[in-house]
Amino acid sequence: MTTFLPPNFSDPRFASLPDARFAPAPADGVLPEGFFSTSNLPTFAKIKGKWTAPRDPRMDAGLLLDKDGVLWVREGRRLRKGDMIAIGSAEDGTEGLFVQTELVPHEVGAEFSFMTSEVSREKPIDYSTMARLLLEERDRGGYPIWVTGPALVHSRARADMSWFIANGFVGALLAGNAVAVHDIEASVYGTTLGMTSTGEITRGGHGAHMRAINQVRAAGSIASAVERGIIKDGIMYSCVTCKVPFVLTGSIRDDGPLPDVITDMLVAQDAMRQHTMKATMAIMIATALHAIATGNMLPAFTALPDGTMRELPTICVDASEFVVSKLKDRGTHQAFGVVTNAQDFMHILRLYVEREIALRTPGAGTPVVREAAAKR
Amino acid sequence: MTTFLPPNFSDPRFASLPDARFAPAPADGVLPEGFFSTSNLPTFAKIKGKWTAPRDPRMDAGLLLDKDGVLWVREGRRLRKGDMIAIGSAEDGTEGLFVQTELVPHEVGAEFSFMTSEVSREKPIDYSTMARLLLEERDRGGYPIWVTGPALVHSRARADMSWFIANGFVGALLAGNAVAVHDIEASVYGTTLGMTSTGEITRGGHGAHMRAINQVRAAGSIASAVERGIIKDGIMYSCVTCKVPFVLTGSIRDDGPLPDVITDMLVAQDAMRQHTMKATMAIMIATALHAIATGNMLPAFTALPDGTMRELPTICVDASEFVVSKLKDRGTHQAFGVVTNAQDFMHILRLYVEREIALRTPGAGTPVVREAAAKR
Amino acid sequence: MTTFLPPNFSDPRFASLPDARFAPAPADGVLPEGFFSTSNLPTFAKIKGKWTAPRDPRMDAGLLLDKDGVLWVREGRRLRKGDMIAIGSAEDGTEGLFVQTELVPHEVGAEFSFMTSEVSREKPIDYSTMARLLLEERDRGGYPIWVTGPALVHSRARADMSWFIANGFVGALLAGNAVAVHDIEASVYGTTLGMTSTGEITRGGHGAHMRAINQVRAAGSIASAVERGIIKDGIMYSCVTCKVPFVLTGSIRDDGPLPDVITDMLVAQDAMRQHTMKATMAIMIATALHAIATGNMLPAFTALPDGTMRELPTICVDASEFVVSKLKDRGTHQAFGVVTNAQDFMHILRLYVEREIALRTPGAGTPVVREAAAKR
Amino acid sequence: MTTFLPPNFSDPRFASLPDARFAPAPADGVLPEGFFSTSNLPTFAKIKGKWTAPRDPRMDAGLLLDKDGVLWVREGRRLRKGDMIAIGSAEDGTEGLFVQTELVPHEVGAEFSFMTSEVSREKPIDYSTMARLLLEERDRGGYPIWVTGPALVHSRARADMSWFIANGFVGALLAGNAVAVHDIEASVYGTTLGMTSTGEITRGGHGAHMRAINQVRAAGSIASAVERGIIKDGIMYSCVTCKVPFVLTGSIRDDGPLPDVITDMLVAQDAMRQHTMKATMAIMIATALHAIATGNMLPAFTALPDGTMRELPTICVDASEFVVSKLKDRGTHQAFGVVTNAQDFMHILRLYVEREIALRTPGAGTPVVREAAAKR
């Protein structure tokens, strides 16, 4: 446990600092304009030249100097009109108020703050920036790799993923057997693991994914099944028809597997690495296994043509904070976490990319969309 | 949504059942020994040979027969000594009390199936149905209550929530102090808990919410702060300007609180219940506390004008399965769970409602949107 | 635990049902059109008028009738062209195929109740029952398989896992490369991924797991590294010295891997299945991937010597409800979920087993422990 | 996104650094002793006086210098015997190998590391330290406050919590209505929300908590219900009989409430703060609401008698990382997170405290326990 001494107020640097200022509460339960808002850290006010710690410390309150010269931390709601309250916002003593930051985690900048966690469902998601990044990558011929788990397919983001593939935003798709199986099951039977696109369970549906796999095995490959008209739409269909490379790597829980799946992990890692070596951006969605696998092989940086280097943009989307933290704990510190549902992420990201494209297209007739984008 | 008819009490099996028994409350706020504890399901008591449904249904209360022979669901704490309360524990009519169990979850069918869990991030979210439900409620003058937690504000769904308020989709807003505080902080300072809308921490930002609260306390009320131009946009602004009622209930973790917050929980529950009694739909977003509180007071059903009954549509949105399961474990079985981020949910739900409106507007010049909607 | 009898096939309703139909596999590794897709429930095919249960039951496979008239559950990929495979989708016997649904979850009873969710951190964990089950399995020569993820090792449950291995509670250990790597890193360097047993990060520690792997690769195998004194304690050490079989299956995220890891997934699945076919109990801890893989291969039932059948006890321990729900959503409905930390689970389970042993040992001098156990 | 320049190798400080050393791989697939283990950061080796970046960067691999003098990052498994591999562990150039740390989050010490997240279910839980802290607090007359949520009661940690109260480890208990309601329901009826201690649902059990509340309301207070023999054991019983103060604060979701519950939030905050002002330690278990409420009122530090200050030990136990992160995001940065189940936490913590007491008691006759403790 951290232990420390109170500030050495005999140090000359404290001598020149002014006394704290106080102003009266304008009404019962109301703090004066410019009041000093407390934190839970050791706090001192200079009163008649003497640095004094208030009694009853807590955060989110004011500093009250009572008639006997005693200093208290006091909630605003408990004030009486005329109570003398410390004024100021600087915490470095320059307004007579000093906060000791020994207990502040160093990264946040030695100041008491809220909302400092790295990954949280409570953080806003900046879709505009992600949309611009994707367009920049496409414009400059970058190589964004997309790494996805099966929840993307169960949650019915197939159409949106296909759109990104068809519109040039995907350098390569890295996934497992299950993503392709459920995508193909959805194309052939309209279900994933027997569940319809509105979440109902179908009778006898538990065999649908096995029948889908079997059809592709009979056809010999996914490309061949596309050619024969067995697979008519979706993620794998778009990869095949748009000639976007994909790597399907096996896992111990695979059904089938599909004929395109690389079942030996060493061969599979070598195949994936051919793409991570070229990657200029990575988008990982709803998969712990493949995200960490990709992170293991991915440099945290990329060299730009002008000789500068920059962080390799790495977006990790998951429904729980844990997967993103785990990815970082395995060394992929550059990952930017988005805590949301795969279906919603894909839908909104596409919307923002479409808006950005519309805004960049002079004369393109989509005023409604442009207005909507402008208003945001 | 499940619809069903009230029990056919002309059926002979009901004829032989006895009248319900009632006993007096032994003291103010105390139920008699052996009292019948209510659920949120349709409930009937046989009184003088006639099966009667009580007014103001909710779970965890007693059945009070007043002097005029009217039957009420009434919380124990609101009783007066001598109030006549139904006695019994059987729910099958054998003690004159009958509970209709059409809404109790049934098994999936004795067949092996995948994806049978009730709540999962892997289930598709059916925004179309939710958008249609909201429009139907608006069209027929329903009373949808919205129950929200502060993550909605941190994640910057303020604009979308304001849109729903301004466009007639909100019967009442039920929330806590924090939702209003952060919404107002965002309006006044552009931050929530000192965090900007793109997730950065501001220097000294930890005091911003306290300053926002203090300004409203000085103004006397949220409405007054809107009038004086202190609050210029957002959720509370829209409620005030669109005259949508809101109930802000206090909690032990509140800062401030804002002057509109009801700090006594019994008064606050009574205020909330005025709205749950009128509710024809409930949308609960990113709050365990307020969702469960609302669920406690909300019947699982609603009577339609034609005499049929239907499940009261109850949508519960949270980033984790746990909150939805917990809500169900507290008896709100009818809740439909959506596992996603509050920001994304609000954004897409609004988009679908806008599309649906466009589709229903003959001649309205939004072909782009209509095509997009048609293609999905 | 649910116990039940096989169907009474002497019942007249079975007499009129037809024999099962079989069709030849059209190619190696391809099932015939219309194949019957298996579940993990007791399944019977009528062959020459006699209802027969297949050998080696598992879900997601076909039913193969070999030349000797023996019926097998066989994965599609393992078929040879011409193999005779059962055809049909009805599970009620009308196509000669009957599935017993005693183990399919039933509703809670048409009554309003709280706490009806299947998996929740709010449910009590019944360690007594689990301890008794483990002892019963040991006493009757059962074959409990343990399936673990690396969190078990990071969280320092190594000593407890080793105790279970050394004391005869583990039939086989099924895990991935990471479990063994971190266990060995802990034995050789005292860290896991460079983190000490009290959670501190060590300087340069990020290379420790690679050095541990390299030493075992140089030694040629884990057993050889134990023999040479490189690995001195822990899970793998205990498996080797106590001759408990283990299967380490590869994954796309593996470092190294260790020489014992089976890198081809089809070979690895076959190796795992040798153990799931013998399993009489399954304990899955802190792993989604391996738990689902095992669940895929594991029948939901086990036949007891007296001809009755019972649910195969399947315990799934994870820090989140999601993993257990996902396992059930993949068809392992019999899984009993324990929502807790791997370290704590192992510690308490061992304690309860030790107490149970002490209680069963007449005259054994552990009165303190016996009193403690008695009081609970 | 962070952008940066490669190191300025013309800087004189680089001139004096030695060339990197290389050693041959002793066998196919085996790295030489002392190999340099790569990270995902920009890395440079000094070769013949020139700093060179390897091709194909990734973490967890070696640096191979091929016959043509080209430097590669290469996985150990892909090596051939005799391949020349860089040797060293320093990343500051002193062994001819330099890693650029611009992308390392600053708090971890400007070095690539794994497992740097603050809160994770994968971190070991240090029960020994917590047990010692609790004993120290008791010995020196500290004032540890315990803050708990209802999951503690549902999960049946009542007996362990009672033990801590009875044995002098609890200065005050801060909780809500639900904790007391379910504790009392368990004492009176053996259930919590109608669920038994092994997790079964009882018929008609949904009324049990209402009946328990009603009995206490009839008695007038919890203390009076204890006196009358209505409440016979558990947390509230122990508080009453051991004269440990408790504060029960209301919330909007309360049933009843119990007569001791403070329903006005401002009064309730003032009551809680009487205890947070005296607190020398805080243990928060399975509650977001009350943990954040307490954190709001709790200084992050405590002054020791000798004039030094130390961090106020604050332990936050929850089943999910999110609650602990949220508490920190609300400014309680000093909170130490334990991600586990409330039942298990209480059980093991008590066990460690009992062991520690046994170890400190000379001659106390608990050799079994002492041995067990010694072996760990």
Side-chain angles (χ1 to χ4, degrees), chain A residues 2 4 40 56 59 77 113-117 122 269-270 273 277 296 300 309 311 329-331 333, chain D residues 2 4 40 56 59 77 113-117 122 269-270 273 277 296 300 309 311 329-331 333:
Chain A
T2 311
F4 54 99
N40 58 6
D56 301 351
M59 67 172 79
R77 64 178 167 83
S113 315
F114 296 117
M115 304 302 278
T116 57
S117 71
E122 293 187 323
Q269 287 189 1
D270 292 348
R273 201 168 172 226
M277 288 194 302
N296 284 351
M309 305 177 87
E311 203 177 30
D329 272 353
R330 267 62 178 179
H333 298 295
Chain D
T2 310
F4 55 100
N40 58 6
D56 300 351
M59 67 172 81
R77 64 178 167 83
S113 317
F114 296 117
M115 305 303 278
T116 57
S117 71
E122 293 188 321
Q269 287 189 0
D270 292 348
R273 204 173 169 221
M277 287 194 304
N296 283 352
M309 304 177 89
E311 204 176 29
D329 273 354
R330 268 59 178 181
H333 298 296

Side-chain angles (χ1 to χ4, degrees), chain B residues 108-187:
Chain B
V108 292
E111 188 179 80
F112 177 82
S113 316
F114 295 118
M115 304 304 277
T116 58
S117 71
E118 286 194 54
V119 185
S120 169
R121 63 194 74 169
E122 293 187 324
K123 296 289 176 83
I125 306 174
D126 188 352
Y127 284 103
S128 300
T129 299
M130 288 189 279
R132 273 197 302 273
L133 268 172
L134 275 170
L135 276 161
E136 278 167 31
E137 288 292 312
R138 190 176 72 166
D139 289 351
R140 71 181 184 86
Y143 197 78
I145 55 174
W146 293 62
V147 184
T148 68
L152 185 113
V153 186
H154 288 301
S155 68
R156 299 307 192 271
R158 291 173 70 234
D160 293 320
M161 186 70 214
S162 302
W163 183 88
F164 281 107
I165 295 167
N167 284 276
F169 294 100
V170 180
L173 175 69
L174 310 180
N177 182 60
V179 167
V181 167
H182 300 315
D183 175 59
I184 294 170
E185 181 191 340
S187 179

Side-chain angles (χ1 to χ4, degrees), chain A residues 116-129:
Chain A
T116 57
S117 71
E118 285 194 57
V119 184
S120 168
R121 64 195 73 170
E122 293 187 323
K123 296 290 176 82
I125 307 173
D126 189 352
Y127 284 102
S128 300
T129 299

Side-chain angles (χ1 to χ4, degrees), chain A residues 233-294:
Chain A
D233 57 21
I235 297 169
M236 301 318 299
Y237 174 89
S238 299
C239 282
V240 169
T241 54
C242 301
K243 302 196 190 329
V244 167
F246 59 87
V247 179
L248 299 179
T249 54
S251 90
I252 191 66
R253 54 167 279 207
D254 288 349
D255 296 315
L258 289 166
D260 304 69
V261 169
I262 306 173
T263 61
D264 188 275
M265 289 305 97
L266 307 185
V267 180
Q269 287 189 1
D270 292 348
M272 272 180 74
R273 201 168 172 226
Q274 294 309 312
H275 299 285
T276 58
M277 288 194 302
K278 287 192 271 181
T280 57
M281 182 175 182
I283 302 115
M284 301 158 167
I285 306 168
T287 171
L289 177 64
H290 292 267
I292 292 173
T294 303

Side-chain angles (χ1 to χ4, degrees), chain C residues 200-237:
Chain C
E200 277 87 45
I201 310 299
T202 53
R203 286 220 64 182
H206 72 81
H209 70 299
M210 298 311 297
R211 297 184 203 292
I213 292 168
N214 200 52
Q215 292 203 38
V216 181
R217 289 179 71 93
S221 73
I222 293 173
S224 163
V226 168
E227 214 169 275
R228 297 185 193 188
I230 296 166
I231 306 171
K232 296 186 196 71
D233 57 20
I235 298 169
M236 301 318 299
Y237 174 89

Side-chain angles (χ1 to χ4, degrees), chain D residues 267-290:
Chain D
V267 180
Q269 287 189 0
D270 292 348
M272 272 180 73
R273 204 173 169 221
Q274 293 309 312
H275 299 285
T276 59
M277 287 194 304
K278 287 192 272 181
T280 56
M281 183 174 181
I283 302 116
M284 300 158 167
I285 306 168
T287 171
L289 178 63
H290 292 267

Side-chain angles (χ1 to χ4, degrees), chain A residues 35-273:
Chain A
F35 69 93
F36 181 80
S37 188
T38 62
S39 71
N40 58 6
L41 301 176
T43 299
F44 304 86
K46 195 169 185 180
I47 299 171
K48 296 186 180 163
K50 187 160 177 298
W51 290 94
T52 309
R55 298 189 186 177
D56 301 351
R58 63 160 292 174
M59 67 172 79
D60 293 336
L63 290 176
L64 177 152
L65 186 64
D66 73 14
K67 281 164 188 160
D68 303 323
V70 180
L71 191 66
W72 302 85
V73 172
R74 187 67 52 89
E75 294 92 339
R77 64 178 167 83
R78 293 174 62 204
L79 300 185
R80 294 278 145 211
K81 181 174 176 172
D83 279 350
M84 295 305 289
I85 303 298
I87 300 296
S89 60
E91 300 183 348
D92 59 358
T94 53
E95 297 181 90
L97 301 158
F98 185 80
V99 178
Q100 216 180 346
T101 55
E102 264 79 357
L103 294 169
V104 172
H106 298 310
E107 77 274 29
V108 296
E111 187 178 80
F112 177 82
S113 315
F114 296 117
M115 304 302 278
T116 57
S117 71
E118 285 194 57
V119 184
S120 168
R121 64 195 73 170
E122 293 187 323
K123 296 290 176 82
I125 307 173
D126 189 352
Y127 284 102
S128 300
T129 299
M130 288 188 280
R132 275 197 301 273
L133 268 172
L134 274 170
L135 276 161
E136 278 168 32
E137 287 293 312
R138 190 176 72 166
D139 290 352
R140 72 182 185 85
Y143 198 79
I145 56 173
W146 294 62
V147 184
T148 69
L152 185 112
V153 186
H154 288 302
S155 68
R156 299 304 192 274
R158 292 172 70 232
D160 293 319
M161 186 70 215
S162 301
W163 183 88
F164 282 106
I165 295 167
N167 285 277
F169 294 100
V170 180
L173 175 70
L174 310 180
N177 181 61
V179 167
V181 167
H182 299 315
D183 176 59
I184 294 170
E185 181 192 339
S187 178
V188 178
Y189 298 107
T191 58
T192 65
L193 282 177
M195 173 180 69
T196 70
S197 65
T198 49
E200 277 87 45
I201 310 298
T202 52
R203 286 219 65 182
H206 71 82
H209 70 298
M210 298 311 297
R211 297 183 203 292
I213 291 169
N214 200 52
Q215 291 203 39
V216 182
R217 288 179 72 93
S221 72
I222 293 173
S224 163
V226 167
E227 214 169 90
R228 297 184 192 189
I230 296 166
I231 306 171
K232 297 186 193 72
D233 57 21
I235 297 169
M236 301 318 299
Y237 174 89
S238 299
C239 282
V240 169
T241 54
C242 301
K243 302 196 190 329
V244 167
F246 59 87
V247 179
L248 299 179
T249 54
S251 90
I252 191 66
R253 54 167 279 207
D254 288 349
D255 296 315
L258 289 166
D260 304 69
V261 169
I262 306 173
T263 61
D264 188 275
M265 289 305 97
L266 307 185
V267 180
Q269 287 189 1
D270 292 348
M272 272 180 74
R273 201 168 172 226

Side-chain angles (χ1 to χ4, degrees), chain B residues 51-131:
Chain B
W51 291 93
T52 311
R55 298 190 187 176
D56 301 352
R58 64 160 291 176
M59 68 171 78
D60 292 336
L63 290 176
L64 177 151
L65 186 65
D66 72 14
K67 283 164 188 159
D68 304 323
V70 180
L71 191 65
W72 304 86
V73 172
R74 187 67 51 89
E75 295 92 339
R77 65 178 166 83
R78 293 174 61 204
L79 300 185
R80 294 278 146 211
K81 182 175 175 172
D83 279 350
M84 294 306 288
I85 302 298
I87 300 297
S89 61
E91 301 183 348
D92 59 358
T94 54
E95 298 182 89
L97 302 158
F98 186 80
V99 178
Q100 216 180 347
T101 55
E102 265 79 355
L103 294 169
V104 172
H106 284 64
E107 70 181 295
V108 292
E111 188 179 80
F112 177 82
S113 316
F114 295 118
M115 304 304 277
T116 58
S117 71
E118 286 194 54
V119 185
S120 169
R121 63 194 74 169
E122 293 187 324
K123 296 289 176 83
I125 306 174
D126 188 352
Y127 284 103
S128 300
T129 299
M130 288 189 279

